[in-house]
Amino acid sequence: MGAASMNQNPLLTLDALAPCGVVLPTEARAALDTSLTLKARELGVQAFLLWGKFTTSSGRDYYVARAYNGTKRVDGKVIVNPGNKFYYSTDCAEWLDLEPVDGKLGELCGLIDGKRWLTGDPAHEYTVVEQPPTPDPDPVPEGEDPPPPPAAPDPIEHTLTELQRMAAMINAINAETACAPDGMYVTDVAGNYVAKPGFFVRYPDQLSSYVAPTGNLGKAAPGTWGLVWDSFKRVATLRSFAYPGFFAYYSANTNTIGNLYFGNGLRNEEVGFV
């Protein structure tokens, strides 16, 4: 079979990861089968792919999908093309924009209690308090006594929305878990970052055959990643212990791969101790 393609068939990925508990209700899966194709046509992108699901404290969970329109490698960095964006839904039928969050806004979202689940209410707001750094004192001329240290600035209160927090969670999860077989992607003559023709994983049962943004999984901290190899089906299943609920698979029979996240969005801060 041709080169593997990350998560190009969400329904195939759901089937492959079902033994891990990555399962959708019947009505949600039926809606997904139609809505992903229709949304891709509406947006004019290469694909509209299921990214995962956030479990909330109210039980009104969020489904997340991403519009995929290709990537390029520029000066050694992978740059997404216009049109790449995330969307959310509560029924897998209607998909709504999820505005990107980065920079300072992303840092502020990190101040929200790390044990607090999403509520399931897109209008919900969080209040965080930022403590600006104390300014450095002015230089003291030689022979003069130093003045009193500058007073700490007043804390600044910020209001953040549930959707902003969810977007920040997606960024954090992707930054640690977006994995693929090592050497799978290459840059073509047009600069596009694409799957290498004829690629296959030589040792699919070894963590060192896979990479994430944090590096080769074989060199990851102990207890960060796990891999189960089904020698009968010839399928490798990877899971993240830093973000429980993230799973990926590689099938040596069909040379296909995919990943999904089904969890509460919270990082396991005790990952090094489990």
Side-chain angles (χ1 to χ4, degrees):
M1 189 169 177
S5 184
M6 176 61 78
N7 220 10
Q8 287 297 313
N9 189 326
L11 299 182
L12 180 63
T13 302
L14 282 167
D15 289 339
L17 297 178
C20 304
V22 179
V23 179
L24 290 179
T26 303
E27 62 275 12
R29 177 158 179 152
L32 196 70
D33 195 16
T34 302
S35 69
L36 294 181
T37 301
L38 293 178
K39 192 67 176 179
R41 291 175 183 170
E42 174 191 329
L43 297 173
V45 295
Q46 294 181 22
F48 194 72
L49 308 169
L50 181 67
W51 180 88
K53 182 183 79 168
F54 284 116
T55 306
T56 72
S57 59
S58 67
R60 192 169 184 263
D61 299 339
Y62 296 113
Y63 300 98
V64 178
R66 63 186 180 96
Y68 176 75
N69 211 29
T71 55
K72 291 181 180 293
R73 182 180 284 274
V74 180
D75 297 329
K77 295 182 179 180
V78 178
I79 308 297
V80 297
N81 292 330
N84 286 277
K85 189 178 179 181
F86 284 95
Y87 295 77
Y88 77 98
S89 174
T90 56
D91 57 8
C92 284
E94 181 183 7
W95 296 94
L96 304 173
D97 288 22
L98 191 59
E99 293 301 326
V101 167
D102 53 22
K104 182 57 178 287
L105 195 53
E107 294 177 8
L108 291 174
C109 288
L111 298 177
I112 299 172
D113 183 357
K115 296 182 179 179
R116 192 173 175 183
W117 288 31
L118 294 167
T119 67
D121 176 9
H124 183 79
E125 294 183 339
Y126 302 85
T127 300
V128 298
V129 177
E130 176 194 16
Q131 180 60 59
T134 301
D136 294 330
D138 294 330
V140 179
E142 186 176 353
E144 294 186 13
D145 294 332
D154 293 334
I156 303 173
E157 190 173 278
H158 299 271
T159 299
L160 305 169
T161 68
E162 175 122 311
L163 298 183
Q164 289 172 332
R165 188 189 182 199
M166 181 161 52
M169 283 179 163
I170 293 170
N171 290 345
I173 294 168
N174 282 343
E176 288 198 40
T177 65
C179 60
D182 193 10
M184 172 181 170
Y185 290 104
V186 296
T187 306
D188 66 12
V189 293
N192 297 305
Y193 198 48
V194 298
K196 183 178 180 180
F199 176 85
F200 70 96
V201 180
R202 187 176 298 274
Y203 303 108
D205 58 339
Q206 299 180 14
L207 273 176
S208 58
S209 294
Y210 306 90
V211 292
T214 52
N216 187 285
L217 301 192
K219 298 179 181 179
T224 305
W225 286 90
L227 184 151
V228 175
W229 170 250
D230 186 325
S231 58
F232 179 72
K233 295 182 179 179
R234 301 186 71 224
V235 172
T237 303
L238 295 89
R239 66 178 299 182
S240 167
F241 293 108
Y243 280 100
F246 178 89
F247 296 94
Y249 86 94
Y250 170 75
S251 170
N253 285 335
T254 61
N255 203 31
T256 56
I257 61 177
N259 64 59
L260 290 168
Y261 175 79
F262 275 47
N264 58 22
L266 305 180
R267 192 179 191 279
N268 174 18
E269 298 299 342
E270 298 180 353
V271 66
F273 304 97
V274 297

